[in-house]
Amino acid sequence: MISVVIPALNAEATIERAIESVLGQTHSDLEVIVVDDGSPDGTTEIAEFWARRDARVRVRTQQHAGPGAARNAGIDVATGEWLAFLDADDEFKPEAFETILHRIERHDSVGLVIFSIDAVRAYIYAWPPKLTRLKDAYFEGEGEGDRATAFMREYLRTQQMLVYSQSNKLYRRSLVEAHGLRFEQLRFGEDRLFNFAYLRHAGGVVTMSERLLSYHHGLPGTLSDVPPAEGIHALRRLSEAKLELFRDYGASEAELEAVRRRDARSMLEQTLADLMRLDRRGGAASVREAVRALLAARLDHSLFPVDALSADAAPSRRARLLQLVLRLRSAGAAAALIRTLRRRDDRTTLARRRAELDRSKAMQRLQLTTASTREQKRYYLLADYEHFLDRINPERFRVIVRDKGVLLRRLASATNRDFLGRQWLDLRRTSVDEFTQFTSTRDRIVVKRFDGASGKGVDVVDTAAPGLDAAELYERLLADKQHVVEELLHQHADLARFYESAVASLRIHTLALGDEVQIVFPTTVSFGSKGGVTSNAWSLQAFFDLETGRVETDGIFQGSVQHGTPDEVFERHPDSNVPFRGAVIPFTREAADLVRDAARFVPELPFIGWDVAITPSGPVIVEGNAAPMIHYSWQIMTRRLLGWHGMRAEFESLLERFERWKRAAQVRGA
């Protein structure tokens, strides 16, 4: 049997996916142990829901003590022959365990299995393939002779895959218990120390080229969350543990020196990267404080083995730059240099991403293939918009609105305002009996995929239909990941006259600068058409004045270059023949106030596109969008309906406004 330990902290948006990836294995002899490390969100409730559904799932809770302590708690209660550790935001491929067990049948003394991964790009950089894929190999013996040489050569080729993570490994539990191995309580690197210790007792090691894990890197809890001075000390400790392991493997002094030099360069490069990230997040004041801590520790002399970075060691340019920073002996001058380096890095990154963009496709999508270069430059392209979002809305926080259940729970927590105007359920936290009770009092409900976008995964279910079995519906919705179940909203008659089958929605974008929340970009109203049940399906959009509610343009149906359908502009709704221009949308001022208040409940994401419905009694929030893909649609609509020529100036002005506010906030904080 395989015991899979999943440490989890604030993982309500991803824990279900992780659990399902284990329960869906083609090898079924396993157990799942979820250890909630003191999450204040719904992580425990979701895990316990799965424990009720499948006896192989067990849930443990503890006060927050870190991922190492959570993994240790799982080890303590595990019963399987093999141990696996899965982070709450990762997933195993369905055939992972069957593939592994089939491979190791041919070897008698395997104590450790290491397999390749798919690195899912959670931020803006992709890992090179050599760091994610291993060769098929078997290292036998007890850490001597040929095995040591072969293993070290493979380590030097793909060091992160072989030793760093615990997620792409299977450990023999009897060896863990026999040698009393547990994870240490560190801010980071506890997995590497565990692996260094385990390798000394592992016996045979199998490496596999199959990619059996989807690994989401670049999310919270990474090395960049640790202060640089603390991080560099931890890196030094890890380097020493690694050298001790290689000495046990019989490495020569020359081989140990090669590892020492490599680690010295890595320490310098990592510290410079951390300082540059700190400058992005916290500004010059944060960098000055970090540099002072580094200088106080005299890291350029006592911690970094600078003598190892001689000319023949070929240190990278970044490593040499950090040595220069640390020898400036002035925190202010060092911070200024860090900012210069960071800005140069940002420009290089943006240029690289722009180069990756297929410009001809972008121009085709924007219908600008025959436009002059000067006109094309007025438009904001995908690479520009991705940079815009990266600067304003950190990727690690976007899940707050990407997962509809998470946002609904946050808005529902308001005690002085009803943002939602309807009853709703998240099936990940709802029993079949509760669902049955909910449906028994309603003739129709709306069901949505928890991560759906653009109207996909949204259905209206007739719960009063003869023969409908609520329990069967509950299981089907879970299988289809339509976890969000809501009462059917009734829209205001002034909007229903355009199209009754779908609730019209207003799109209002907010920019939160601390307590001040501004409405940015033109506002639109979306109507359904052609039998669609949502306003995003066959959507017709028009611009309206938020102050008066007056619709100021015709309606536009945006076509698809991919499907060869053109844009169409309508003076009247094609289904109802109601004219767009001059129509008045009720409660628009109240809608503006509503989204301003809602934005304050999601301070982690300054820029949000809100979808708002207008009911007979006023506006309600339908959902939010942390990465609203408006760089194409808004630029097409503003050109066709308002006569604009690109929105680059508007996007850049908004970003400058945000950066100016951020700098002022940093100064106040300093």
Side-chain angles (χ1 to χ4, degrees), residues 251-266:
S252 67
E253 280 303 316
E255 290 167 330
L256 293 174
E257 180 63 17
V259 173
R260 190 179 296 112
R261 287 181 176 181
R262 181 174 183 153
D263 286 354
R265 189 179 76 178
S266 295

Side-chain angles (χ1 to χ4, degrees), residues 139 143-155 249-250 255:
F139 305 95
E144 298 176 354
D146 292 342
R147 180 201 173 205
T149 301
F151 186 88
M152 281 187 294
R153 285 175 180 168
E154 187 68 7
Y155 170 81
Y249 276 11
E255 290 167 330

Side-chain angles (χ1 to χ4, degrees), residues 80-109:
E81 178 186 0
W82 292 94
L83 272 174
F85 301 99
L86 179 67
D87 288 347
D89 56 352
D90 297 338
E91 312 103 58
F92 286 119
K93 301 298 179 64
E95 72 286 357
F97 295 155
E98 182 179 13
T99 303
I100 292 169
L101 295 176
H102 176 71
R103 176 67 56 83
I104 64 178
E105 285 177 351
R106 67 188 79 164
H107 304 296
D108 296 329
S109 59

